[in-house]
Amino acid sequence: MQRFPFDIVGFDLDGTLLDTSGDLAAAVNHALAQADRPPLEVAVIKPMIGGGARHMLAQGLEATGGSDEQLLERLHRILLDHYARNLSIHTAPFPGALAALDALEDLGVKVAVVTNKLEGFAREVLRDVGLLDRLSCMIGGDTLGPGNSKPSPAPIRAMIERSGGGRAAFVGDSIYDVAAAHAANVPAVACRFGFLMQPVEELGAEAIIDHFDELVPVLERLG
C-alpha cells in the first residue's frame, strides 16, 4: 500500500474542526448590548470569525453603528469575560470531523490545531469536546507572541516543529489559514462549510471540501 503523503495535518479551530458560532455570537451580542447596540444574527457574525476576538468585535461594532478605540477596548474585555464563562454551550465538531481524525490517526498521521483563538480558550474548548489529548500540538493566537498569529507563517512552522517534523498540510476556512499555510510552503484545504468571509473559491487553496468525508481522499490526491 502506498504511504500516505503527509506526516502532519493541521486544522484551524473555529469554522473548521468545531462549529463555535453559537457561543461566539452570544459573546459578541452580550458585548454589544453593553453599548446599547442591537444583537446580530449568528449568520451575520460568522464571517467576522477567524481573526481573533478583538477583530470579530470590531466588525460587530462597525455593523451596528461604529466604534472608537476606547469603546472597543472596554467591550473586548466584556466579550472575553462572557465567553470564558460560556465556552462550550453550543459548540460541537462539524459532521464527519471526528471520523476524519480517526482515519488520519489510523494512517499514522499526527493531527494538530493552529487557531487565532487565545490559547487558553482554545485548550478549554478542545478539552470540553474531548479532542485536546488527540493533538500533537495546539497553537493559539497568542502562543508565539504579538504578530505571530495567522496569516503569519510562524504558527504553521511551529506546528511542524512541535509535531516532530515532516510533510504537512493545513485545513481551514479563511484567507488567514490559506495565507499562513502558503507562506510556510504548506498546501491548504479549504472547508466550504466554514465561517467564510468570501466565496471559498477565492481563498486560493489547493483543494476544497464540502464535508469531512472528503478530506483523506483529497489529501491523498494532493500528495
Side-chain angles (χ1 to χ4, degrees), residues 161-185:
E161 180 182 354
R162 295 181 185 192
S163 298
R167 190 169 184 222
F170 195 72
V171 185
D173 69 318
S174 78
I175 193 65
Y176 304 118
D177 300 318
V178 176
H182 287 173
N185 295 315

Side-chain angles (χ1 to χ4, degrees), residues 25-210:
V28 170
N29 284 329
H30 176 78
L32 291 176
Q34 311 313 304
D36 296 321
R37 301 291 179 86
L40 297 171
E41 296 288 338
V42 174
V44 174
I45 292 174
K46 276 185 180 182
M48 302 175 181
I49 300 169
R54 186 184 179 89
H55 176 77
M56 177 176 62
L57 176 61
Q59 291 183 87
L61 285 166
E62 286 303 315
T64 56
S67 180
D68 57 47
E69 191 64 24
Q70 185 176 3
L71 178 62
L72 178 59
E73 194 62 37
R74 179 173 71 86
L75 295 184
H76 183 221
R77 175 47 53 192
I78 289 171
L79 183 154
L80 293 179
D81 288 346
H82 182 275
Y83 188 56
R85 297 191 301 271
N86 301 276
L87 280 170
S88 305
I89 294 174
H90 305 291
T91 290
F94 278 101
L98 300 184
L101 295 184
D102 290 342
L104 289 169
E105 289 167 353
D106 287 345
L107 291 165
V109 177
K110 294 178 179 178
V111 296
V113 163
V114 177
T115 176
N116 281 347
K117 185 189 290 292
L118 295 173
E119 180 180 339
F121 287 162
R123 286 189 178 279
E124 190 167 342
V125 170
L126 285 161
R127 188 179 295 112
D128 287 348
V129 299
L131 292 181
L132 184 60
D133 292 340
R134 300 181 63 168
L135 304 176
S136 59
C137 75
M138 203 295 299
I139 298 172
D142 57 337
T143 301
L144 303 179
N148 288 311
S149 59
K150 297 174 295 183
S152 166
I156 306 295
R157 292 171 178 156
M159 173 195 79
I160 296 169
E161 180 182 354
R162 295 181 185 192
S163 298
R167 190 169 184 222
F170 195 72
V171 185
D173 69 318
S174 78
I175 193 65
Y176 304 118
D177 300 318
V178 176
H182 287 173
N185 295 315
V186 166
V189 177
C191 302
R192 195 184 301 276
F193 51 80
F195 304 158
L196 298 171
M197 306 172 189
Q198 62 203 96
V200 69
E201 291 81 8
E202 295 180 4
L203 297 180
E206 279 70 19
I208 297 167
I209 58 172
D210 297 307

